[in-house]
Amino acid sequence: SALVGLIGCVFAFWLSGRILRPVYEVLAGLKNVAEGNFSHKIPVTVGGELRRLIDGFNVMVDGLRHYRRETVRAREALEQRVNERTRELLNEKERAEAANRTKSEFLARMSHEIRTPMNGVRGMTELLLSSPLAETDRRYAQTIQDSGAALLNIFNDILDFSKIEAGRMELEHEPFCIRKLAEDVAGMLATTAQNKGLELALDVDPKIHNEVNGDIGRLRQVIINLVGNAIKFTEHGEVVLRINESEDPALRIDHRRFRIEVQDTGIGIANDKLDAIFDSFIQEDGSTTRRFGGTGLGLAISRQLVELMGAQLRVDSEAGKGSTC
Ligand code: ADP
């Protein structure tokens, strides 16, 4: 009976080795798979159910290897397509930028060329107007003078716009008095306001630092545009040009922050048009050109100039009640 017991033990040991070894191999294979190693296959040394388990495992490893190869291939193809498309887009962008630069340079050159003879026409008309003229001739000469001035304004706008588009607009840095600038602009536009029966008020905080360094010409251009618009689009009431020092997103001149506001009691701007009016050649609605004239370039230029000065040009408005720029 001891011999039978011994043989039984040896048999049990042999049998557990035959069953357990393949199971351990499958476990080791699964660990390899979990670590991303799909090349390890388990040799088939047993039969029956264990053989089917090992065959299934080997088929799974083959499948995973295949899918990984396909995924890598697809990713490489995708990367190549993305790279090609990026190259194409960059080329297209460069072509578009070059075309835009050429267009801006052409515009700048043309408006410059046209401005020179236009100045001659204006100068001569001025001389003509200062000479004794019959009433009708004076009216004709005055019309030429006004049309010339309007045309020159348009050319100046186009010239500025193309300079900004071509990235060639540079600001000056010179000392000036901001209060005097405001007074000059108000004086310049007072008659236009008066002719429409409007009051043009100046509200410059007495505490502001008057002497600053910056581009007086460009700042004057922005303020004239804003006050000019306010007068143009207001039929009754008043236009106020207000200046104070403020930390709120404001104009930085010479390390100081100014807030320049132009408030009117005019026709206002509909809420959904507030952003669009800063786009070039955009007016609030088609009838604006017929009623008030203009090119729709003024605010686009002013916004860019103000941004070059490190600030923002914004407008608050309510249709029918007035605007504040
Ligand atoms: P322009 O005055 O030459 O038409 P702008 O760029 O200066 O061009 O103005 C664009 C448009 O914005 C104007 O046509 C007008 O519709 C609107 N707008 C500008 N300022 C005012 C204002 N103060 N009140 C009402 N509408 C305004």
Side-chain angles (χ1 to χ4, degrees), residues 92-106 165:
E92 277 168 29
K93 181 172 162 272
E94 267 164 32
R95 262 199 305 276
E97 279 172 358
N100 200 27
R101 265 197 307 277
T102 313
K103 179 206 75 185
S104 300
E105 273 164 23
F106 171 76
E165 284 255 289

Side-chain angles (χ1 to χ4, degrees), residues 157 225-234 262-264 266-270 273 276-285 288-289 292-302 315 317 322-325:
D157 275 0
N225 180 232
L226 299 183
V227 178
N229 273 349
I231 296 174
K232 185 157 77 169
F233 296 107
T234 304
V262 178
Q263 190 179 0
D264 66 55
I267 59 172
I269 302 159
K273 300 279 169 39
I277 58 164
F278 290 104
D279 293 341
S280 39
F281 303 109
I282 296 289
Q283 299 185 312
E284 196 207 344
D285 73 82
T288 309
T289 319
F292 302 100
T295 55
L297 274 179
L299 283 182
I301 294 169
S302 294
V315 57
S317 186
S323 319
T324 303
C325 286

Side-chain angles (χ1 to χ4, degrees), residues 22-72:
V23 171
Y24 284 138
E25 277 183 10
V26 171
L27 282 176
L30 282 173
K31 190 164 171 276
N32 274 333
V33 169
E35 287 167 358
N37 176 6
F38 302 150
S39 57
H40 181 77
K41 284 181 60 167
I42 301 172
V44 183
T45 53
V46 285
E49 290 303 308
L50 280 174
R51 184 197 174 101
R52 281 175 53 196
L53 175 71
I54 292 172
D55 282 345
F57 176 85
N58 286 341
V59 168
M60 179 190 80
V61 168
D62 278 345
L64 286 172
R65 205 171 37 238
H66 172 74
Y67 282 127
R68 183 159 71 184
R69 231 186 353 256
E70 288 300 306
T71 312
V72 169

